[in-house]
Amino acid sequence: MIRAILVIVSLIIISGCVGLAIGTYGKKEWARTEFSLGNERNQFSFEKRDSPYSDLEIIERWGDPDSVDLFEYCKVLIYKDGTSWAGAGAFVGVVPVPLAVPTGTYKNRFYLRNNAAVGLIQEYGEIDRAVGYTCGSNECVASAGEKVNESELDAKVAVTQWCAKSL
């Protein structure tokens, strides 16, 4: 009996979460106008940057992009950042039960106008919808299927604003 209690407490401490929920998982996009690059590919730093990066500065820090594209009045430098996943999962007690498949590649896309970065779209994996009740990260949340973790600025709207004919 004591072993069972120790195992349960250990699992709660390790995962940091407890609950009963199911949810879907997929690709999200985060639009950013302020960012600071690390000196390795797909790494960011916490330094405050006052001026926008040029394409040469981005390439100097991260190397050659995987591809270069054009969108309206922007040049787009695209860096792949690992395999993207989509699927569903359940959280039963302290045990996450994932069911996901690879769906492509996450990317970091820099949008440049007049050789100056006007924005960055970062792709990442996140829970999209959930049903159930979970406790973790110092809060307990009940979900009823609504979208969760929505970004403040829609990436498609941001890119249209950054790259439109007139700024």
Side-chain angles (χ1 to χ4, degrees):
M1 179 67 173
I2 292 177
R3 269 192 189 157
I5 293 172
L6 286 173
V7 168
I8 291 171
V9 169
S10 296
L11 287 172
I12 292 171
I13 290 170
I14 289 171
S15 74
C17 299
V18 64
L20 180 60
I22 59 171
T24 59
Y25 184 86
K27 189 184 286 187
K28 298 275 192 163
E29 294 181 321
W30 181 22
R32 302 173 61 183
T33 55
E34 293 183 16
F35 53 88
S36 184
L37 302 178
N39 289 322
E40 293 183 33
R41 186 181 190 94
N42 297 316
Q43 298 295 314
F44 294 89
S45 78
F46 295 102
E47 297 173 2
K48 177 76 173 143
R49 176 122 176 142
D50 295 326
S51 61
Y53 287 96
S54 70
D55 58 352
L56 292 177
E57 288 176 303
I58 294 170
I59 292 168
E60 183 179 286
R61 288 179 176 259
W62 281 22
D64 290 328
D66 293 303
S67 59
V68 178
D69 203 354
L70 295 174
F71 179 77
E72 295 186 17
Y73 288 86
C74 286
K75 176 180 179 180
V76 186
L77 302 180
I78 302 168
Y79 291 85
K80 293 181 181 177
D81 191 15
T83 303
S84 62
W85 296 82
F91 199 85
V92 182
V94 294
V95 180
V97 182
L99 178 60
V101 295
T103 57
T105 305
Y106 294 124
K107 297 179 182 99
N108 289 306
R109 301 187 315 264
F110 295 94
Y111 291 81
L112 297 103
R113 280 187 76 143
N114 301 320
N115 199 32
V118 292
L120 162 67
I121 301 293
Q122 285 182 274
E123 297 177 350
Y124 62 98
E126 183 72 76
I127 295 171
D128 189 40
R129 294 179 185 268
V131 175
Y133 189 79
T134 57
C135 291
S137 301
N138 297 324
E139 67 178 352
C140 293
V141 178
S143 300
E146 64 275 0
K147 283 192 162 281
V148 295
N149 302 319
E150 283 297 299
S151 58
E152 296 172 18
L153 178 60
D154 181 81
K156 289 177 179 48
V157 171
V159 168
T160 300
Q161 291 172 351
W162 298 337
C163 301
K165 185 173 183 176
S166 61
L167 280 176

